[in-house]
Amino acid sequence: MAAGGDPKDYKPATRLVGAGRKPEWTGPAVNPPVWRASTYLYEDCVAQEAGRHVNADGVFHYGARGGPTQWALAEALTALEPGAAGTMLYPTGLAAPVMALLSVLKTGDEVLVSDNSYDPTRSFAVHALKDYGIAARFFDPLDVEGFPALIGDKTRALLLESPGSLSMEVCDVPALAAAAKARGLAVLLDNTWAGPTGFQALAHGVDLSILALTKHVGGHSDLMLGSVTANAEYYPRLRKRSLLLGQQASPDDCALALRGLRTMDVRLERSSRSALKIAEWLGALPEVAQVLFPMLPGAPGHEVWKRDFTGGCGLFTFILKGRDAAARDRLIDALELFGIGYSWGGFESLVLAVHPERDRAVMPWPPAGCDPAGRHAVRLWIGLEDPDDLIADLDQAFAALKLA
Ligand SMILES: Cc1ncc(COP(=O)(O)O)c(C=O)c1O
């Protein structure tokens, strides 16, 4: 067995080791080498003419269609997602939802966008799609019953993000996807939080599964990359539109992402176990109004998470009780082991003041059921440090807050 056998027969951790390592991409090496190329040379004119008519991963044509390093990563991501026909790669995570939307929508269409979506995705939907005559309407993805009534004559697509990367709502993807598909909509999901090992998007009714590989696939805070994995119905148009718009990812970044993929299972396992310990500790503090972490028993979304997911990651949010924004900022500034930064998923812990209320059209903030005195939110990404050290750091930051 060269590289893990048929990926379908193994559990996710085993598939992460073998996926995309077929000999055509690796040669005799364990990992696919970095193939840097803008130009592939043809034997003769007949071969070059014949090459014009074949457009698929694995066929050398031109650098914009990628080479073995990109194909190996795309193939690995396809193998990790049961029901997938193929994967396209993009130079940032944001380009992935952008391209997924552009491949299923045309002028005159409407897309329903879940109101907890990542804010640059929202901005694209509102500002850029408008210029192409495509309308974006925000809705509350937790209102499953009310959803079918939102679908109008022009609605062509549904874009979900679950959990929402700031406010952590877990939506009922199978129910929303079934209602959307009954009316012929394309179903898109930003699945970055759980990834393909934690939530099998296509098996739950999604057509196009979006990942910011920048996060825990890369895992080391040193690359930008995105992907969309699609089923047989949508992959051809995703591929066509992506190539028409000149999308491709760098082979260097793809090689880093392949390396990250091999250890992703252990990193996610460690990060989410530590996050659970820290979330439980935070939940017992009098200063904390609510912990929003779907993996935590009793937290919002936990029951749906338990039903549909096989894993998660160490990204979660908590809401402070009865404190002003300045107190929240003092707490964050007092932390020593948590860097203040945006791009979660790396080996190092991060903290961020988040403002879901700035990017909402229909969903309430703070969320329903939360202590009305709580409002100011802090997002933590739990990295690979010892969780006891992270708790001690949070403890001293909360103590500093009491003294102030
Ligand atoms: C859920 C989600 N999707 C997409 C992105 C975009 O990824 P990138 O930063 O690689 O553009 C992010 C980035 O934070 C994200 O959190």
Side-chain angles (χ1 to χ4, degrees), residues 92-94 118 161 165 190 192 212 214-215 224-225 342-344:
T92 65
L94 177 59
Y118 173 64
E161 183 174 309
S165 60
D190 188 325
T192 301
T214 308
K215 316 298 175 209
M224 302 291 296
L225 209 59
Y342 289 109
S343 198
W344 48 283

Side-chain angles (χ1 to χ4, degrees), residues 186-253:
V187 180
L188 287 62
L189 170 74
D190 188 325
N191 193 29
T192 301
W193 184 86
T197 55
F199 182 70
Q200 306 213 315
L202 271 50
H204 285 87
V206 171
D207 296 306
L208 299 107
S209 178
I210 295 158
L211 295 178
L213 305 175
T214 308
K215 316 298 175 209
H216 34 250
V217 172
H220 295 76
S221 306
D222 53 8
L223 66 89
M224 302 291 296
L225 209 59
S227 68
V228 180
T229 298
N231 59 18
E233 186 179 353
Y234 285 95
Y235 179 65
R237 66 179 95 165
L238 173 75
R239 181 178 180 90
K240 189 170 177 190
R241 185 53 56 103
S242 301
L243 294 177
L244 278 172
L245 292 178
Q247 298 294 312
Q248 189 48 266
S250 127
D252 299 80
D253 288 339

Side-chain angles (χ1 to χ4, degrees), residues 29-65:
V30 169
N31 295 308
V34 180
W35 281 66
R36 296 171 143 279
S38 59
T39 305
Y40 294 109
L41 302 175
Y42 288 93
E43 275 294 305
D44 52 30
C45 291
V46 172
Q48 186 249 320
E49 182 61 21
R52 289 180 56 234
H53 306 291
V54 191
N55 177 352
D57 282 1
V59 180
F60 288 107
H61 175 72
Y62 179 62
R65 288 208 199 144

Side-chain angles (χ1 to χ4, degrees), residues 266-402:
V266 279
R267 287 185 284 102
L268 286 183
E269 212 270 320
R270 167 66 177 266
S271 160
S272 42
R273 191 159 25 95
S274 299
L276 266 174
K277 187 170 183 179
I278 293 164
E280 266 166 25
W281 181 85
L282 283 165
L285 292 184
E287 294 91 342
V288 171
Q290 194 165 19
V291 178
L292 306 173
F293 185 30
M295 295 179 85
L296 183 69
H302 179 69
E303 292 308 315
V304 181
W305 175 81
K306 212 163 58 176
R307 186 193 70 188
D308 291 347
F309 288 61
T310 50
C313 73
L315 186 78
F316 69 93
T317 294
F318 63 93
I319 305 177
L320 286 169
K321 196 185 278 177
R323 294 279 185 167
D324 58 18
R328 187 257 328 271
D329 293 353
R330 278 202 307 282
L331 175 78
I332 291 175
D333 289 347
L335 289 166
E336 286 167 6
L337 288 177
F338 292 81
I340 301 173
Y342 289 109
S343 198
W344 48 283
F347 56 86
E348 81 297 357
S349 291
L350 293 177
V351 62
L352 195 67
V354 291
H355 307 272
E357 72 280 4
R358 288 182 185 164
D359 296 297
R360 302 215 144 191
V362 295
M363 292 174 81
W365 185 263
C370 183
D371 183 334
R375 176 179 177 82
H376 299 292
V378 178
R379 188 178 77 175
L380 297 180
W381 162 253
I382 305 302
L384 303 181
E385 302 90 343
D386 190 303
D388 291 339
D389 286 335
L390 296 174
I391 288 175
D393 192 23
L394 285 159
D395 197 27
Q396 66 76 25
F398 273 104
L401 204 58
K402 278 186 202 128

